[in-house]
Amino acid sequence: MIPTSFPSKEEIARLSARMLLEIGAVDFNSKEPFTLASGLPSPSYVDCRKLISFPRIRSTLMDFLTITIMRNAGFEAFDNIAGGETAGIPFGALVAERMALPMTYVRKKPKGYGRNARIEGVMKEGERVLLVEDMTTDGGSKLSFVDAIRETGATCGHTALIFYYDIFPETIQKLGDHGVELHYLCTWWDVLAEARAQEAFSAETLDEVEKFLKDPRAWQDAHKSA
Ligand SMILES: O=P(O)(O)OC[C@H]1O[C@H](OP(=O)(O)OP(=O)(O)O)[C@H](O)[C@@H]1O
Ligand SMILES: O=C(O)c1cc(=O)[nH]c(=O)[nH]1
């Protein structure tokens, strides 16, 4: 069903951060950092894939994402919703259902056999495609997905996701230079504020994470061989 009530951006961010914390989708470990898709280390990791297993939270967040897309980009702005392999696919399906639009998905790489496609489902020339993903760190995967969509002759000027790192200042610029606008529900700053309010992790852990969030490149340089 198409959502018709529009909570404020701030309320959406606060509630989304709380939901991610409540289901244990947020992990902090500065002693054994996570390796990101970019290959770089991080003391924090958000696993939005877990959301699909929690129907109440999943449904509320997908309503929030649909509202955010319509409020920011327009109510009739898209013809086709594309999920990014892998984590973006279920969210793409859930948003497409809410917006009553066709759905497709984009592979990270051509399949290698069969049609050797990167786009699955039907995507037509001239269609306005919204790329739906779970999250973005530095936007690298989004550029590749958008390029695959554009190769079909469709247009793609927007990507919508649940979680945006918001610590690499060049991310929005990089996407903007590629003609892509970013829409999201919450960031590390929302999660950190909520984690502090709830005392969800030790103060020492949160201080170390904040150090990373404030200067991620310096933190990564110091932990590259960790
Ligand atoms: O490159 P960015 O735009 O900053 O986003 C980071 C990517 O990392 C995750 O995917 P991952 O490579 O872990 O694959 P998965 O979706 O198959 O789990 C996530 O789903 C994003 O696509
Ligand atoms: O950049 C990534 O690979 C990444 C970071 C993160 O916090 N969560 C995730 O699923 N991927």
Side-chain angles (χ1 to χ4, degrees):
M1 205 167 108
I2 297 165
T4 53
S5 85
F6 287 70
S8 70
K9 186 177 186 304
E10 292 71 28
E11 180 73 345
I12 286 179
R14 197 177 61 81
L15 288 172
S16 302
R18 269 175 61 182
M19 289 181 218
L20 289 168
L21 284 164
E22 183 175 337
I23 66 160
V26 174
D27 224 341
F28 295 134
N29 191 338
S30 54
K31 296 198 172 65
E32 291 174 48
F34 304 92
T35 301
L36 305 181
S38 60
L40 292 168
S42 166
S44 52
Y45 193 82
V46 58
D47 189 354
C48 295
R49 302 163 193 83
K50 286 190 178 173
L51 290 166
I52 58 176
S53 305
F54 297 84
R56 278 173 292 279
I57 285 177
R58 178 182 78 198
S59 183
T60 305
L61 285 180
M62 291 302 100
D63 282 354
F64 285 172
L65 197 56
T66 305
I67 289 162
T68 301
I69 293 160
M70 294 194 296
R71 179 158 54 200
N72 294 1
F75 290 80
E76 301 291 342
F78 301 105
D79 307 303
N80 191 320
I81 306 295
E85 179 197 4
T86 314
I89 295 175
F91 302 121
L94 292 161
V95 168
E97 201 62 21
R98 279 165 176 73
M99 296 185 81
L101 285 171
M103 185 219 162
T104 43
Y105 65 88
V106 197
R107 293 183 186 277
K108 292 177 190 171
K109 293 195 172 74
K111 189 171 144 105
Y113 54 93
R115 290 193 305 115
N116 204 30
R118 280 192 75 187
I119 306 291
E120 302 292 356
V122 178
M123 189 178 284
K124 296 181 193 144
E125 195 172 339
E127 275 188 336
R128 301 163 301 167
V129 179
L130 170 70
L131 172 65
V132 172
E133 268 270 76
D134 60 331
M135 51 85 56
T136 195
T137 304
D138 64 7
S141 316
K142 309 301 166 274
L143 300 184
S144 167
F145 286 138
V146 165
D147 286 346
I149 291 168
R150 289 176 178 165
E151 274 169 25
T152 68
T155 66
C156 183
H158 298 266
T159 185
L161 28 103
I162 296 159
F163 190 85
Y164 166 44
Y165 256 56
D166 194 19
I167 61 171
F168 300 110
E170 66 278 13
T171 305
I172 291 203
Q173 177 73 41
K174 188 163 75 176
L175 289 169
D177 290 347
H178 213 70
V180 182
E181 204 178 317
L182 180 66
H183 311 285
Y184 56 89
L185 302 184
C186 66
T187 72
W188 274 127
W189 305 106
D190 302 308
V191 169
L192 185 66
E194 199 55 38
R196 284 210 190 275
Q198 292 181 13
E199 299 182 7
F201 297 86
S202 72
E204 187 196 3
T205 299
L206 295 179
D207 289 346
E208 183 66 18
V209 167
E210 189 163 359
K211 213 183 286 175
F212 164 73
L213 298 178
K214 285 189 166 152
D215 193 349
R217 296 303 181 205
W219 197 96
Q220 288 175 327
D221 284 346
H223 291 79
K224 252 179 195 153
S225 56

